[in-house]
Amino acid sequence: MSHFTRFRQPPQETEATATEDLPPDSSPEHTPEHRPEDTPDGAVEAEAECTADAEGTVEAEAEAEYTGTDTGTGTGTAPANGWRHRHPAAARAVAWTTTALAGALVLVTLLLPNDPARLTPAEFARIPVEGIAGASLLLLLPRTARRMAAVLAGAGLGLLTLLDLLDIGFAEVLGRGFNVVFDWALLGDGASFLQDSIGRAGTIGVEIAAVLLVLALLVLPALAVLRLSNLMARHGARAAGTTLVLGTAWVVSSALGVQIAGAPVASRSTSDLVQARVDGVKATLKDERTFTKEAASDPYHHTPGSRLLTGLRGKDVIFTFIESYGRSAVQDPLMAPGVDAVLAKGTKRLRAAGYSARSGWLTSATYGGSSWLGHSTFLSGLWIDNQQRYRTVTAGDHLTLTSAFKRTGAWRTVGIMPGVTKSWPEGKFYGLDHVYDSRELGYKGPKFSWSTMPDQYSLAAFERLEHGKPHDKPLMSEIILTSSHNPWAPLPKTIGWDKVGDGSFYNSIEKAGKRPVDVWQQTDKVRTEYGKSIQYSLNSLISYVEKYGNKNTVLVFLGDHQPVAKVSGDHASRDVPVAIVAHDPDVLKRISDWGYTPGLNPGHKAPVWRMDAFRNRFLSAYGSHPGPAPSR
């Protein structure tokens, strides 16, 4: 019989029932079982019961030793007929393994860096001061408070780990960390991109996996810290000694600057990251206030339209952004040969058609994605490197290059936006009389991954809808070319302009193209296909100017940002090429002091400006200096 049975209290009996159970002529006071002289024997029995109780407590402690159960006052052990009692060796092995995994998980969450370049084994061979401080606190707390603190600490570590993983992902794609204030909205854009790249079913699978990962990061570290805290409570003296030794080792390592493979043994990375995130939130809120004042101050705000862009009157001006067209495309040893050949040949082709070109470099406000930040920086003359700045500037009336054309009243202003799939209220901020989004361009062909249509079709639609029609004013156009957008598979091909039609011709091209999942298996394949996409976009644009340009055509084209780090490298600059093409020599003569390189390909010594500097330089070169009209 188990000792659990002996401690079970019998049902309370009434006095009548007890008396009925006695033999005749007996009474409760004089039964043999209750004789006064039997009291010593009763004491012996009680002592035996107490001994059994103590033994039960010891058994419970031993049970907890390999099950990880917090016994507290001796409760919480497994049933005597449980599998742990039937297989004690296996139970101990499972308990020890679980405890080791819990310790490893806590250590990883404490030491995980938020920089992908630091994901090395040395980073996890350090002593985290936060773990020492946490262990010390848990040893001092009473049982209930200790358990609550352990769960909260574990959940907090899981949340910090989630933010670290977001930092790593953003660094790989956008070249920067995750901003906890305004970057959450970008996760939705990421889901849309995944759906375009791998399909709806694949995206749902990724989303489910992401949700499970988030739940695991919040629950598993909490359970791990709780398990370790229970273990420390059962072995308080040993745990206190170990904590003291580790604390001493941390202090000595910190004082001596001990390192392993360049990583300091004495780590305080978690507390540093927490402080950095707090500082980041404060800086973001401060930046928002500062930028609001900056956006409201515009030297061209009061410049009348009659003094703007006088050097371009009568010209059809086209501003074209080529997706992910960065310095890597024209200087990287793997991708540059093909792209440079297109630029060199394009320069000759345009020269034969009567055009000249000058090119330089601009440093984009974004990297790897968030193209709208690059667009708005270039057009507004403000450094817009985050979503909050973008919302602030587009909600105001800051003058952009495109709205400057509208202010003059001398141009019709239109936008060709194949990447816009729903209403786009920012069109009003940019001063566009009409925006042709993906729904208005008449495309009947297949999507090419993220890109809703090939660049050549977008340009053909521009010619059909606007440029090729008779108009009483010249055109100022903003055109976004998207075929070079990640993931660069499948890719369209240049075809005869007479074959473009409604886009149905591209069905066979899309079907014969490569799949993103195949391309992204190897870095060299990704980079090769990226280079091909840039070649396609450049060829389409150059061919369009050749066929449909005229003596009044002025083309300004540039990249919006560098491609992702998988293509451009971990330490790539944010520079993008910019070129100005014109048939009229006077147009390029006005920028002769810019130092730009002749041709479409900027040289290594061509000037590098921040992208937000272009607006003022352009307005100054082709119009008056900023300020109100001179008084008479």
Side-chain angles (χ1 to χ4, degrees):
M1 178 182 295
S2 168
H3 65 276
F4 293 108
T5 306
R6 288 185 287 139
F7 291 122
R8 190 179 303 136
Q9 294 295 325
Q12 297 294 323
E13 297 181 319
T14 62
E15 183 176 349
T17 304
T19 303
E20 289 175 1
D21 291 338
L22 293 175
D25 301 325
S26 298
S27 65
E29 293 81 8
H30 297 91
T31 58
E33 289 80 5
H34 292 83
R35 289 179 302 170
E37 57 270 24
D38 289 341
T39 301
D41 293 337
V44 171
E45 185 176 337
E47 183 177 355
E49 291 289 331
C50 291
T51 302
D53 188 12
E55 290 174 351
T57 302
V58 172
E59 272 191 49
E61 295 281 357
E63 175 76 5
E65 184 74 27
Y66 62 84
T67 61
T69 309
D70 185 9
T71 60
T73 58
T75 63
T77 57
N81 60 347
W83 77 273
R84 294 186 179 90
H85 284 269
R86 295 197 303 270
H87 308 284
R92 287 189 181 91
V94 170
W96 292 339
T97 301
T98 305
T99 300
L101 291 175
L105 178 60
V106 172
L107 187 65
V108 168
T109 57
L110 285 169
L111 296 175
L112 180 69
N114 66 341
D115 181 359
R118 291 171 48 207
L119 285 173
T120 62
E123 287 289 332
F124 300 97
R126 302 187 295 155
I127 305 174
V129 68
E130 300 83 5
I132 297 170
S136 302
L137 176 62
L138 292 176
L139 285 170
L140 296 175
L141 292 175
R143 181 174 182 269
T144 301
R146 169 174 55 81
R147 293 172 68 87
M148 291 180 60
V151 171
L152 290 176
L157 285 177
L159 179 59
L160 291 175
T161 302
L162 174 62
L163 294 177
D164 289 341
L165 294 176
L166 287 171
D167 276 340
I168 292 171
F170 269 61
E172 285 290 319
V173 177
L174 301 180
R176 62 174 178 83
F178 178 80
N179 189 298
V180 297
V181 177
F182 47 68
D183 275 348
W184 298 103
L186 297 182
L187 299 181
D189 294 327
S192 299
F193 168 72
L194 274 180
Q195 184 166 331
D196 292 329
S197 301
I198 63 177
R200 180 171 178 79
T203 301
I204 291 175
V206 172
E207 290 174 343
I208 292 174
V211 170
L212 293 177
L213 175 63
V214 171
L215 292 176
L217 287 175
L218 295 178
V219 173
L220 294 182
L223 295 177
V225 176
L226 179 61
R227 183 179 185 86
L228 296 178
S229 70
N230 290 339
L231 184 64
M232 290 190 300
R234 290 195 302 274
H235 305 283
R238 192 183 305 172
T242 302
T243 303
L244 180 61
V245 170
L246 290 174
T248 302
W250 189 93
V251 171
V252 172
S253 298
S254 179
L256 298 179
V258 180
Q259 295 185 349
I260 297 178
V265 172
S267 167
R268 53 185 180 189
S269 57
T270 299
S271 55
D272 287 345
L273 285 174
V274 170
Q275 185 61 52
R277 295 196 188 282
V278 172
D279 293 343
V281 171
K282 292 180 180 178
T284 297
L285 299 178
K286 181 180 179 181
D287 176 75
E288 182 180 352
R289 296 189 295 269
T290 302
F291 182 73
T292 300
K293 296 178 181 179
E294 182 183 347
S297 176
D298 185 358
Y300 280 97
H301 183 73
H302 297 291
T303 304
S306 60
R307 294 177 55 198
L308 290 171
L309 302 164
T310 54
L312 291 173
R313 297 299 168 99
K315 307 296 184 186
D316 287 327
V317 182
I318 305 172
F319 291 100
T320 302
F321 292 95
I322 298 179
E323 172 66 37
S324 301
Y325 176 38
R327 182 186 282 266
S328 299
V330 297
Q331 292 187 352
D332 181 89
L334 178 63
M335 301 172 292
V339 175
D340 289 351
V342 170
L343 292 172
K345 187 176 181 179
T347 299
K348 293 179 180 179
R349 290 163 57 186
L350 291 176
R351 187 182 299 120
Y355 294 92
S356 298
R358 297 289 184 274
S359 55
W361 301 103
L362 297 175
T363 301
S364 178
T366 185
Y367 172 93
S370 301
S371 301
W372 58 92
L373 302 182
H375 301 168
S376 55
T377 296
F378 176 81
L379 295 173
S380 71
L382 296 169
W383 190 253
I384 304 175
D385 59 350
N386 62 57
Q387 192 64 16
Q388 185 56 48
R389 285 190 166 211
Y390 178 77
R391 294 195 196 102
T392 299
V393 71
T394 55
D397 59 354
H398 193 87
L399 187 72
T400 65
L401 280 178
T402 45
S403 62
F405 281 86
K406 182 177 178 62
R407 181 183 289 185
T408 67
W411 279 273
R412 170 170 167 79
T413 58
V414 299
I416 305 297
M417 309 288 176
V420 176
T421 57
K422 52 188 176 182
S423 60
W424 189 57
E426 291 92 331
K428 182 179 179 181
F429 165 73
Y430 287 114
L432 299 175
D433 293 322
H434 190 84
V435 173
Y436 294 91
D437 63 23
S438 60
R439 300 166 296 181
E440 295 185 65
L441 292 172
Y443 183 63
K444 303 299 182 182
K447 290 181 65 175
F448 283 80
S449 190
W450 183 89
S451 183
T452 57
M453 62 194 69
D455 291 344
Q456 191 178 6
Y457 179 89
S458 298
L459 293 167
F462 168 61
E463 182 65 22
R464 170 171 48 85
L465 296 170
E466 286 286 349
H467 188 260
K469 287 184 175 181
H471 40 269
D472 56 355
K473 293 180 181 180
L475 284 175
M476 190 293 304
S477 312
E478 180 187 354
I479 302 176
I480 312 297
L481 300 183
T482 61
S483 291
S484 52
H485 194 288
N486 182 343
W488 309 299
L491 293 176
K493 295 180 179 180
T494 305
I495 59 178
W497 289 97
D498 58 335
K499 295 182 180 179
V500 173
D502 65 359
S504 300
F505 187 87
Y506 291 101
N507 281 303
S508 59
I509 297 176
E510 189 272 339
K511 289 179 181 178
K514 299 177 181 178
R515 298 185 307 163
V517 66
D518 295 330
V519 169
W520 280 75
Q521 289 178 355
Q522 296 180 18
T523 300
D524 284 352
K525 284 186 178 180
V526 177
R527 300 174 73 212
T528 298
E529 296 306 306
Y530 160 76
K532 290 179 180 178
S533 73
I534 296 296
Q535 294 176 46
Y536 168 78
S537 296
L538 290 171
N539 266 320
S540 298
L541 186 58
I542 293 167
S543 177
Y544 174 82
V545 175
E546 273 187 308
K547 184 172 181 61
Y548 297 109
N550 55 55
K551 64 180 182 179
N552 289 320
T553 298
V554 176
L555 170 67
V556 180
F557 73 92
L558 68 153
D560 47 18
H561 55 71
Q562 283 265 55
V564 295
K566 190 177 183 69
V567 173
S568 59
D570 294 329
H571 305 290
S573 72
R574 296 193 173 200
D575 297 344
V576 299
V578 58
I580 301 179
V581 179
H583 197 284
D584 185 349
D586 289 339
V587 173
L588 296 182
K589 196 176 295 183
R590 285 177 173 265
I591 63 167
S592 58
D593 61 341
W594 285 12
Y596 273 21
T597 302
L600 299 178
N601 194 345
H604 289 272
K605 295 183 179 180
V608 181
W609 305 337
R610 286 203 343 170
M611 191 175 275
D612 56 341
F614 189 88
R615 187 203 74 157
N616 286 4
R617 288 178 178 268
F618 189 88
L619 292 176
S620 178
Y622 294 105
S624 67
H625 291 286
S631 58
R632 295 181 180 179

